[in-house]
Amino acid sequence: GNNAFDVIISDPPYGIRESLVSNPTQDLFDMISSDRDKGRLLKVGGRLVIFVPCSKDEEISDLLPNDDEHKKAGLRLVVKQRQQLNDSLSRWLVAYECIS
């Protein structure tokens, strides 16, 4: 049977208290992309929902995968919504739909 998920929700570490070696959002995209050849991590029509931290010196578009990576993962951006946490940090709720 197909054991793919309907929804994956992630609120990864922000790298504030400790530094991160990789980008958790990119890691999720890479897993979904590589899984498409072997089976499926996320069902077609399923959603990937991620909270992405963004400092006041960063642009959210620079922190998200690009259009080529969307295509490779079979994901389409559905929504980006900002939540201000304090004067220097916000987090974005970002949702993708699996389209292929």
Side-chain angles (χ1 to χ4, degrees), residues 27-65:
D27 292 344
L28 279 168
F29 261 72
D30 292 345
M31 283 187 281
I32 290 170
S33 293
S34 66
D35 187 62
R36 291 178 73 205
D37 297 331
K38 300 176 234 166
R40 230 173 234 292
L41 185 61
L42 188 61
K43 291 180 181 177
V44 172
R47 300 291 171 121
L48 171 63
V49 180
I50 310 168
F51 286 99
V52 180
C54 187
S55 71
K56 67 179 180 179
D57 300 328
E58 296 174 308
E59 294 292 328
I60 187 62
S61 58
D62 295 336
L63 302 173
L64 299 176

